[in-house]
Amino acid sequence: MTDPHVQDPTEESLWRPLRQLQASMDADIARIYTGERITGLKPSFVMELLRLHARGPMTITELAASVGRTHSALSQKVAAMRDAGWVHTVEGEDARSKKVMLTDQSRAVVDRLAAEWRATEAAVAEIESEIPYPLSRVVTDIERALERKSFHDRIAEKLAQDPAWG
Amino acid sequence: MTDPHVQDPTEESLWRPLRQLQASMDADIARIYTGERITGLKPSFVMELLRLHARGPMTITELAASVGRTHSALSQKVAAMRDAGWVHTVEGEDARSKKVMLTDQSRAVVDRLAAEWRATEAAVAEIESEIPYPLSRVVTDIERALERKSFHDRIAEKLAQDPAWG
DNA sequence: TTTCATTGTATCAGTACTTATATAAGTACT
DNA sequence: AGTACTTATATAAGTACTGATACAATGAAA
């Protein structure tokens, strides 16, 4: 069936195992947050609720910057959280900005969410302590390598060396 | 503004830097594939085209298994690739299955795509060689740690130890 | 040979985003 | 006060998926 002369460069991608690992750990985290205890709360809301709890009311743009997403994403998410009763919004200093704040409903669960978050972080820290070289250190190692020469430049360089190119 | 008594467990997530790193590297890869040379080709099609080139025609289900996605995802993607002229489908051995195969249009570009893929993998390998402990080894270290005790069990354990819980 | 489960695909709805565009409200300059 | 620019939010459309459901075609068991 398979022509042995045609090699498959996609056969084993160097970083696919990392992605799989991450996905399965994300699934475990989601399992913790969806353990039917807090009905109607999406795992994707948790970070925003904890941020609002810790830092107090914020505008949509501030919240977006704080979680590293676009204001568009947060505009949509805040609307969904409002519809589900987890936050409410009041007019900010400006008539154009809106302060997002927790409701009683979310204030009643936020301590448990924080405990779950801490447990997750502690579990990650435990794993890091059990392996010979922590993942976080590899990340900074890679960041330093990319400072020397960017990933894009490296790919372009390898491409130029490839005889099948050009 | 911020109440100093309320700590924020989301402040610095152990593995957020890894995700950011990955996202920026993905963006660099996408930049390579979208360098206006091959018009109309989405970066997300590349892997499937290379697989079909290396292994020959496959059914949607086979292709889905081969790239690690659901058949639903591939049913949609194959339809999009067919509309864009990159593949065509013919009836398989069965009247229910469809063989997906490359068109002349995609056969004309697939060698360049393979070169780009090899260049990307070579760049990753180069980075791995420049750091003291390769990422791929950390991944297997973590996998072994999770075999001893699953991530879910670890989180549950930490949660049970938290005085703020229950 | 009818019944039933399985296999292969398609479609619909939903998720969690993105980019692009629109619109309202505020600021600065003339 | 009028024009232009900026800021804050909303909305529309698109992406790349997943899961659920539907529905053919096929194989196996009664």
Side-chain angles (χ1 to χ4, degrees):
Chain A
M1 292 293 108
T2 310
D3 181 351
H5 294 289
V6 179
Q7 37 173 167
D8 186 356
T10 70
E11 191 80 5
E12 41 174 310
S13 214
L14 263 335
W15 288 3
R16 290 268 296 294
L18 174 65
R19 285 177 202 281
Q20 276 186 274
L21 180 63
Q22 253 178 195
S24 88
M25 294 181 75
D26 283 350
D28 276 9
I29 295 173
R31 263 217 287 162
I32 293 290
Y33 283 114
T34 43
E36 66 271 77
R37 300 159 309 82
I38 301 170
T39 47
L41 177 69
K42 292 191 189 176
S44 65
F45 292 169
V46 173
M47 185 164 190
E48 282 77 8
L49 294 181
L50 290 176
R51 278 283 153 86
L52 289 168
H53 182 234
R55 311 245 238 269
M58 276 188 271
T59 66
I60 284 175
T61 304
E62 283 163 356
L63 193 54
S66 142
V67 300
R69 293 274 107 91
T70 61
H71 60 272
S72 175
L74 267 291
S75 174
Q76 294 170 60
K77 188 176 268 198
V78 165
M81 293 197 291
R82 189 176 352 89
D83 292 352
W86 299 109
V87 296
H88 69 274
T89 50
V90 297
E91 190 161 296
E93 356 249 85
D94 257 38
R96 60 207 156 146
S97 74
K98 286 182 176 176
K99 288 276 184 199
V100 185
M101 36 182 52
L102 298 183
T103 59
D104 291 343
Q105 184 189 140
S106 53
R107 242 173 262 116
V109 301
V110 88
D111 286 327
R112 274 190 289 161
L113 297 179
E116 290 176 320
W117 191 286
R118 281 193 305 271
T120 300
E121 291 296 307
V124 173
E126 184 185 82
I127 292 165
E128 290 249 311
S129 76
E130 285 178 26
I131 62 181
Y133 197 93
L135 184 55
S136 46
R137 219 179 297 166
V138 181
V139 171
T140 55
D141 290 342
I142 293 172
E143 281 167 348
R144 229 158 327 126
L146 293 179
E147 268 166 48
R148 290 198 298 275
K149 200 198 295 176
S150 78
F151 189 45
H152 183 268
D153 288 357
R154 287 167 193 268
I155 298 171
E157 204 177 88
K158 299 288 172 196
L159 208 46
Q161 285 164 19
D162 195 317
W165 186 256
Chain B
M1 292 291 109
T2 309
D3 181 350
H5 294 288
V6 179
Q7 35 173 165
D8 185 355
T10 70
E11 190 81 4
E12 41 174 309
S13 214
L14 263 335
W15 288 4
R16 287 269 295 294
L18 174 64
R19 283 177 201 280
Q20 276 186 274
L21 181 63
Q22 254 179 195
S24 88
M25 293 180 76
D26 284 350
D28 276 9
I29 295 173
R31 262 217 288 163
I32 294 290
Y33 283 114
T34 43
E36 67 272 76
R37 301 157 310 83
I38 301 170
T39 46
L41 178 69
K42 292 192 190 176
S44 65
F45 292 169
V46 173
M47 185 163 190
E48 283 77 9
L49 294 181
L50 290 176
R51 278 284 153 87
L52 289 168
H53 181 233
R55 312 243 238 267
M58 276 188 271
T59 66
I60 285 176
T61 305
E62 284 163 355
L63 194 53
S66 141
V67 300
R69 292 274 107 91
T70 60
H71 61 272
S72 175
L74 267 291
S75 173
Q76 294 170 60
K77 188 177 269 198
V78 164
M81 291 196 293
R82 190 175 352 88
D83 291 352
W86 299 109
V87 296
H88 69 276
T89 50
V90 297
E91 190 161 297
E93 356 250 85
D94 257 38
R96 60 210 154 144
S97 73
K98 286 182 177 176
K99 287 276 184 197
V100 185
M101 34 182 52
L102 299 183
T103 59
D104 291 343
Q105 183 189 140
S106 54
R107 244 173 261 117
V109 301
V110 87
D111 286 327
R112 274 189 288 161
L113 297 178
E116 291 176 319
W117 191 286
R118 281 193 304 271
T120 301
E121 291 296 306
V124 173
E126 184 184 82
I127 291 165
E128 290 249 311
S129 76
E130 285 179 26
I131 61 180
Y133 197 92
L135 183 55
S136 45
R137 218 178 299 166
V138 181
V139 171
T140 55
D141 290 342
I142 293 171
E143 281 166 349
R144 232 163 319 132
L146 294 179
E147 267 166 49
R148 289 196 299 275
K149 199 197 296 174
S150 78
F151 189 45
H152 183 268
D153 287 356
R154 287 167 193 268
I155 299 172
E157 203 177 89
K158 299 289 171 194
L159 209 46
Q161 284 163 19
D162 194 316
W165 186 258

